[in-house]
Amino acid sequence: MPLARGLTGRVELVHSRALELTLRRGCQPSGVFLLVDGRSRGQIRVASRAWHMYRIALALPAGPHRLSIRTSATRACAMPWLDRIDAVPAAPPHMALGAAVRWDIARSDPRYRAAFTAHFGSLTPENELKMEVVEPARGRFEFAAADGLAALAGSRRIRGHTLVYGNQLPRWVTHPGSPWTRDSLLAVLHDYISTVVRRYRRRIDTWDVVNEVIADDGSLRPTVWLDVIGPEYIEHAFRWAHAADPTARLFYNDIGLERDTAKARSAVRMLSTLRRRGVPVDGVGMQDHTEVVNYPRQSTLETSFRRFAALGLAVEITELDVGTLDGPSSPGARAEAQARAYRDAASACWDIAACNRLTVWGVGDAASWIGPAQTPLLLDGSYRAKPVYDIVRRRLHITNRG
Ligand code: XIL
């Protein structure tokens, strides 16, 4: 909106060390003055025609404040435009930008590896910790691919993805020689979770324990786990993961929890029941696979994050990508629409204290699971950072690597 004669409002702030104003000029450069609680606290010369974030360093105690913004512009067309004001917390929370990484590419492509290490501070194995890879035959565990990725991660954090999933299961689980009994399949699950979580103790600090178990109508998806064991497999999975590594943070992860849908409401109910029963679940992962034509807006995401945070859960965006094929036809307009979607997601994660990590589902467009033509990621087909990469980093206030 144009600033017109000025803007005054009461805001509730956390303990802050700076305010950031996103502004652009009108028909000519002009000045913007900031007053906090009636005191003049800084001025900005707004010269850029494009949106620009200006930072005013300012120690402010937590609590309600009265903010006023005035402009020196006198002609109507010269009034600067204000997009948003952000407070920078005095002790910034740890915030990480991560990517899903594939060992089949990483092992042979140095450019891919270098792109990951240069741009991201957290790693999620894209497929290497799924049961079909880790236990391809009963009792035969294969960790070479996951270990390769752990070495690539170096000192970065790793999200373990994922212990219990209805997809990417080995055939010996989905088509056993003789049918499972409840007890025999529970024993398989227990052995699997204990073995995998224990192996990466103190290396993988966050696990997607249970992935995508709710259907769009809110019921539990039919999987071999549900069919043979019943819904209790979910609770057992969290308890066994906790027993194997009591320090790990344990997540429920799903697609389509970003909006107020039957599925999202069912996830809230399920997680709230689990918490009430003392099941060790610490967070919820929002996959946020989306598209430029229909991405969840910042306010929608924040409403959803708050609903889960109110249960005492941490929130992460765990698999973000933004497909562009159905978007505008000009590449420039596509890139802009995509930048808006990413900006909204990153801003929501920054604004909600429970959210401390945003992970994109792939290092770059060339490696995306939905195909390079969708150009859905932050690095391009040659693993060069697109402008949207910097937008996300700025919105997450990440100054060092990822
Ligand atoms: C996808 C991988 O990206 C693909 O490489 C694989 O072929 C199928 O699985 N939700 C999830 C992820 O939780 O594990 C999925 O990953 C994408 C959807």
Side-chain angles (χ1 to χ4, degrees), residues 40-64:
S40 169
R41 301 302 295 263
Q43 51 178 295
I44 297 163
R45 186 177 141 77
V46 187
S48 163
R49 283 178 206 280
W51 289 114
H52 187 79
M53 194 189 263
Y54 299 87
R55 176 179 284 222
I56 296 181
L58 193 62
L60 291 173

Side-chain angles (χ1 to χ4, degrees), residues 330-359:
S330 98
R334 267 188 199 188
E336 264 177 43
Q338 183 180 56
R340 280 196 293 275
Y342 269 109
R343 189 193 63 180
D344 274 28
S347 302
C349 188
W350 174 254
D351 281 355
I352 303 294
C355 185
N356 288 314
R357 176 159 45 185
L358 183 156
T359 298

Side-chain angles (χ1 to χ4, degrees), residues 235-255:
E235 174 168 344
H236 283 305
F238 281 104
R239 291 194 191 280
W240 291 334
H242 181 70
D245 183 356
T247 63
R249 296 160 76 241
L250 306 181
F251 273 60
Y252 176 66
N253 190 55
D254 210 337
I255 189 165

